[in-house]
Amino acid sequence: MNKLLNVAQAAPRQFVREYAFKSDLKIKWVRPEKIACFKPEKSGDLGKLPPLNPEELLPEFKDCPVLQNADELVKSQFQLSNNASYLTTRFYRDELVKEVQRHAQDFGSMEAKLAKMTAVIRRYQEHMESHPRDKMIKVRLKELIDKRKKYLKFLRRWDYPRFEWILEKLELVYKPPPAHFHWITRKESLQKLTDTYCENLKAERLEAYHKQLQAQQIPFLEEAIKKMQFVRQEQISCDVPVTVTEEQIADSKMQLAQLKELQQAEAAASSQKQNEDGFN
């Protein structure tokens, strides 16, 4: 009974927490921003279409001798900027095909098809920037990007040098689908961030401990040299076998001199760097 009373009257036990809460760690996870599949960052289009010359004429009337001396008002009726948008798309498509076609009449090779699709894709992307709610163009753009990916996959498999060449000419980046798809979750991302944080913390503490040991090397060697000299003198005076040789003491002195030179060089370099930073 007395034992139970003593336990009840005793001070409450204080539990020491040996683990950390999430709030103790300086880790913050932000969900990555979702990028639409038709955006250039996702489709792999690094390049853009060149700006259109406002005086560019329709291709079929470019070499017309009558338009050379015609009035400016008449010329404006045959400019690409004053005509339908699909004519501008056709102009860009033909210009891009000329850069990759094998010969002057090549319009059906794999390179020409990819150039046509790339020109139309980039025109649609420009349209979506100014009209983001155009669902019809959005669906067409998605389908065209997927079709171009299939063509690139086929070319990558059967003709890799030509595949690399076409990517360089059209300024494209091919992004193959992942072998194993998985959703980005908060739990998994926090686990990775925690592991990275712990590894960095471990590296920082090891580096600090390494510097602390380096700072203690010189006093340790000085004390060790004094003790070795004292032990050698006592052994000689007591006429007992000598276990500390002069070579050991000389090696320790040489190591101490090297450490002092290294410390002086590091101090001079750090002071010079501080002076340069202050001067700048």
Side-chain angles (χ1 to χ4, degrees):
M1 187 66 182
N2 294 333
K3 290 182 179 179
L4 292 174
L5 291 174
N6 292 335
V7 170
Q9 293 174 0
R13 292 182 62 186
Q14 294 182 356
F15 294 95
V16 179
R17 179 164 55 90
E18 297 179 354
Y19 54 89
F21 288 121
K22 291 180 182 178
S23 58
D24 298 338
L25 302 177
K26 299 177 182 179
I27 297 173
K28 185 179 180 182
W29 180 72
V30 181
R31 185 176 293 277
E33 183 181 358
K34 186 177 180 180
I35 302 175
C37 63
F38 58 85
K39 294 281 186 180
E41 299 88 355
K42 203 73 175 285
S43 65
D45 287 273
L46 298 180
K48 292 186 177 181
L49 294 174
L52 184 65
N53 185 8
E55 298 181 358
E56 185 70 35
L57 297 174
L58 294 170
E60 55 268 23
F61 297 101
K62 186 177 293 185
D63 299 329
C64 181
V66 179
L67 281 178
Q68 301 296 330
N69 301 322
D71 188 46
E72 293 296 330
L73 186 60
V74 177
K75 280 186 179 180
S76 65
Q77 300 299 317
F78 295 90
Q79 291 175 359
L80 276 174
S81 56
N82 294 328
N83 280 274
S85 177
Y86 76 92
L87 296 174
T88 306
T89 304
R90 187 184 299 173
F91 168 76
Y92 279 123
R93 185 189 64 187
D94 295 341
E95 290 296 321
L96 206 56
V97 167
K98 288 178 183 177
E99 296 182 7
V100 298
Q101 61 185 179
R102 302 179 184 179
H103 49 81
Q105 303 300 323
D106 177 25
F107 296 99
S109 65
M110 183 66 73
E111 301 92 293
K113 291 178 181 178
L114 286 170
K116 290 177 185 178
M117 287 187 281
T118 301
V120 177
I121 285 170
R122 289 175 182 173
R123 282 287 293 170
Y124 281 170
Q125 286 173 345
E126 291 179 355
H127 177 82
M128 289 300 297
E129 288 179 1
S130 53
H131 303 86
R133 294 192 177 186
D134 194 338
K135 294 185 179 180
M136 185 181 67
I137 296 297
K138 184 177 179 181
V139 172
R140 288 183 185 175
L141 179 55
K142 287 182 179 180
E143 292 175 351
L144 205 54
I145 290 172
D146 291 340
K147 185 177 180 182
R148 186 179 66 179
K149 281 185 179 179
K150 290 181 181 178
Y151 277 57
L152 287 171
K153 182 180 179 181
F154 177 84
L155 191 62
R156 180 172 180 254
R157 181 178 180 182
W158 296 106
D159 196 346
Y160 195 80
R162 195 179 296 274
F163 166 78
E164 286 190 332
W165 178 81
I166 198 70
L167 289 184
E168 183 179 356
K169 292 293 288 184
L170 299 179
E171 297 182 20
L172 294 174
V173 174
Y174 177 71
K175 300 178 181 179
H180 303 286
F181 176 79
H182 69 281
W183 294 103
I184 297 175
T185 59
R186 182 175 182 271
K187 182 178 180 180
E188 183 183 359
S189 302
L190 279 175
Q191 287 176 351
K192 292 180 180 179
L193 289 173
T194 305
D195 293 342
T196 306
Y197 175 79
C198 293
E199 290 175 2
N200 294 337
L201 187 63
K202 181 180 177 181
E204 289 176 2
R205 292 184 178 179
L206 285 175
E207 184 67 23
Y209 185 59
H210 182 65
K211 290 181 179 179
Q212 182 182 356
L213 292 179
Q214 281 184 338
Q216 294 175 358
Q217 274 184 332
I218 293 177
F220 174 79
L221 280 175
E222 291 176 349
E223 187 68 22
I225 290 170
K226 290 180 182 178
K227 288 182 178 180
M228 284 191 294
Q229 289 175 347
F230 174 76
V231 170
R232 178 176 174 78
Q233 290 176 0
E234 289 294 322
Q235 288 175 345
I236 292 173
S237 62
C238 294
D239 197 14
V240 296
V242 180
T243 57
V244 181
T245 62
E246 293 183 354
E247 289 79 4
Q248 292 177 348
I249 298 174
D251 292 341
S252 299
K253 288 182 178 179
M254 186 182 298
Q255 188 178 0
L256 179 62
Q258 291 176 355
L259 287 173
K260 287 183 177 179
E261 290 178 0
L262 183 61
Q263 188 179 20
Q264 290 175 359
E266 290 178 354
S270 62
S271 62
Q272 183 179 0
K273 187 177 180 181
Q274 289 178 359
N275 294 334
E276 290 178 356
D277 294 342
F279 179 76
N280 293 331

